[in-house]
Amino acid sequence: MGIPGASLARSVLGVPAAAAEKASRTAGAFAALAAGGRVRRVWSHAGRAHIQANGLSGEGPRHRRYVRALTEALRQLDGVNWAEVNAVTGHVLVAYKEGGVSLDDLVEVVEDVEEARRVGRFDEDAHVRWPDDEMAWAAATSALAADVAGAVGAAAARLLALPPVPSPMRAAVAVADSMPQVRTAVERRLGRLRADALLGVANAVVQSAGHGVAPPVTDAVHRVFQLHEIGARRAAWRRREPLLAAAGRQPQECGARTERPCPLPDGPVEKAANRTALGHLLGGAAVLAGTRDASAAADLLLATVAKAARHGREAFAAVLAHDLAGHGTVVLDPAALRRLDRVSAVVIDSSVLCDGDLRLLSAVATGEDLDDAGVWRAAGAVLADLDPDDLAGPGPWSGGAEAEWRLVRAADAPSGAPADPRGVTLDLMDEHGGLFGRVRVGCSLDPLA
């Protein structure tokens, strides 16, 4: 589908093209969120467009022919400078002359090629979602507006002494919003963004009708953290996009995602929810059996729902994502930050702890001509003019054309790199191939390691 309303807004309202297109995309995001239908995501800035294309999750000759057809059809348009497919994100990137060709024209070409090639639908699970996504912003904004309105409505209902909505209805929404099993089922049915917005709005409505001011206020704070994160991620993407979208650097195939050898373990939030879920049900059933009062059982569920744990993790991940974006990191999968509490082991690439300077770790003489100190001095003289990248091959290395000493990789020692935890083992030889000693070379630590 194209960008509905952009041309009309430009002609009737006389607003700039960029402003009209932005307003159209924003309105389209809210409409798609409300309708629950699929919408083609399109992003543009400064003469570059990222257009979602269907059928980019495959591989092989048929996939490559489809990629060529997409790019060639777009390049044939007057005003298009270049076009490349990024199969990982599921988009085609286009550099075009603003005013010479419109986004509607570019999207129409993509749709024509999709129809001619009879490709499938867009695979949400196969592609990453780029950071500047109007749908995520629309979902958080909708829920925040509902929370603010809910808090105001609850306060007004209290002042007017209106009858509150029954507790069982509020408990049902709270359980759906907070229990992982129920929430996962809703997300599978509606999609993550739409489910989050729908549950947020429903929770605000029933809490307002139940005269609850604190719950929608708490949820509003949660939504503020979400928007804090989304805004930072979008800003980081806009800063880095010109470099990341450079011509000729895009992956043409998506590649198959590897399967975990075992299921993802539960984190502290999931463990807490699982432990309390059975208690909720048994406690509610006991209260209901003892009192015959559904409202009392519902009040128990409302009082014991573990929402604070999930909101705490969300707040941590939102602040972390915001800080990462502030340092120029483009976070493509925010959900990965929500899984950090499940990490049980951390593997650090030792090279990131080094500052790039070679350092002798040990020296041992293998003959009588040099002692250990002499081997150290001779090896140090050779290494003085080298850096870690120079030691990537088998050698030999010398301090210059007239140098007396050579360093060669030890044939009977593990082959590695200076940045490895144990360094690299080298033999000290003279210009005639005589062995005089053995040294171990590593990298000095970065001051901040």
Side-chain angles (χ1 to χ4, degrees):
M1 59 170 49
I3 309 298
S7 301
L8 181 62
R10 286 197 297 270
S11 60
V12 176
L13 302 179
V15 296
E21 287 164 358
K22 179 177 177 60
S24 176
R25 290 199 303 269
T26 302
F30 279 107
L33 186 68
R38 294 176 178 266
V39 60
R40 186 185 301 274
R41 290 190 285 272
V42 179
W43 183 91
S44 64
H45 178 70
R48 289 184 307 280
H50 297 242
I51 303 171
Q52 176 182 306
N54 298 326
L56 289 179
S57 58
E59 56 184 357
R62 184 174 182 271
H63 171 79
R64 289 191 289 272
R65 289 194 296 270
Y66 172 48
V67 168
R68 284 196 300 271
L70 266 178
T71 54
E72 290 173 0
L74 287 165
R75 290 167 184 167
Q76 291 174 2
L77 281 179
D78 292 335
V80 172
N81 299 324
W82 62 266
E84 296 287 344
V85 163
N86 186 328
V88 174
T89 61
H91 294 83
V92 57
L93 282 60
V94 186
Y96 64 99
K97 181 180 179 182
E98 292 183 296
V101 62
S102 68
L103 279 175
D104 290 336
D105 296 332
L106 299 177
V107 173
E108 184 177 353
V109 168
V110 173
E111 290 177 338
D112 290 342
V113 176
E114 290 174 348
E115 183 177 356
R117 295 283 171 168
R118 298 180 180 179
V119 298
R121 302 175 70 179
F122 187 79
D123 189 349
E124 294 282 356
D125 296 329
H127 305 292
V128 298
R129 183 184 292 269
W130 73 46
D132 198 359
D133 186 8
E134 298 285 350
M135 290 284 286
W137 179 84
T141 303
S142 300
L144 176 61
D147 289 330
V148 173
V152 174
R158 285 187 177 186
L159 291 176
L160 298 175
L162 297 177
V165 72
S167 298
M169 183 179 296
R170 288 185 288 141
V173 176
V175 168
D177 184 38
S178 300
M179 290 186 65
Q181 297 87 347
V182 180
R183 187 179 181 89
T184 300
V186 176
E187 290 178 350
R188 191 179 299 114
R189 177 80 175 179
L190 302 178
R192 185 182 61 83
L193 288 178
R194 190 169 181 239
D196 186 54
L198 182 62
L199 289 173
V201 172
N203 190 60
V205 170
V206 297
Q207 294 297 342
S208 173
H211 298 184
V213 177
V217 170
T218 303
D219 288 345
V221 174
H222 165 60
R223 301 301 174 180
V224 169
F225 273 102
Q226 275 190 330
L227 291 172
H228 182 64
E229 172 190 359
I230 293 170
R233 291 175 53 228
R234 295 174 74 177
W237 163 252
R238 289 166 186 161
R239 291 194 305 269
R240 298 293 304 280
E241 186 270 340
L243 176 62
L244 298 176
R249 299 183 181 180
Q250 308 305 316
Q252 301 297 294
E253 292 189 1
C254 182
R257 292 196 176 189
T258 57
E259 297 292 333
R260 284 183 56 88
C262 60
L264 186 69
D266 289 335
V269 176
E270 287 73 25
K271 291 178 180 177
N274 292 334
R275 282 195 299 264
T276 58
L278 182 60
H280 293 163
L281 298 178
L282 293 178
V287 171
L288 182 62
T291 64
R292 306 289 182 177
D293 186 355
S295 295
D299 289 336
L300 176 64
L301 288 177
L302 286 171
T304 56
V305 165
K307 179 181 286 189
R310 184 171 63 87
H311 281 189
R313 180 171 65 186
E314 287 290 324
F316 168 80
V319 173
L320 177 58
H322 177 275
D323 292 346
L324 288 173
H327 286 81
T329 301
V330 177
V331 180
L332 292 179
D333 184 11
L337 302 181
R338 275 75 180 170
R339 296 192 292 268
L340 290 178
D341 57 353
R342 309 183 190 195
V343 173
S344 58
V346 178
V347 179
I348 300 178
D349 184 351
S350 58
S351 63
V352 304
L353 304 177
C354 302
D355 64 1
D357 294 331
L358 292 174
R359 181 176 181 180
L360 276 170
L361 303 178
S362 64
V364 179
T366 57
E368 298 180 356
D369 296 327
L370 290 177
D371 58 8
D372 292 351
V375 173
W376 187 286
R377 286 193 297 270
V382 176
L383 294 173
D385 298 326
L386 302 177
D387 59 43
D389 293 336
D390 295 329
L391 299 183
W397 301 277
S398 63
E402 304 298 329
E404 177 182 1
W405 303 107
R406 306 283 190 272
L407 287 175
V408 183
R409 281 186 181 270
D412 57 345
S415 178
D420 292 346
R422 295 185 179 182
V424 58
T425 303
L426 305 176
D427 286 333
L428 178 69
M429 298 181 174
D430 64 6
E431 55 187 350
H432 303 294
L435 179 62
F436 287 83
R438 175 164 288 189
V439 298
R440 195 157 54 93
V441 180
C443 286
S444 58
L445 288 177
D446 188 279
L448 298 179

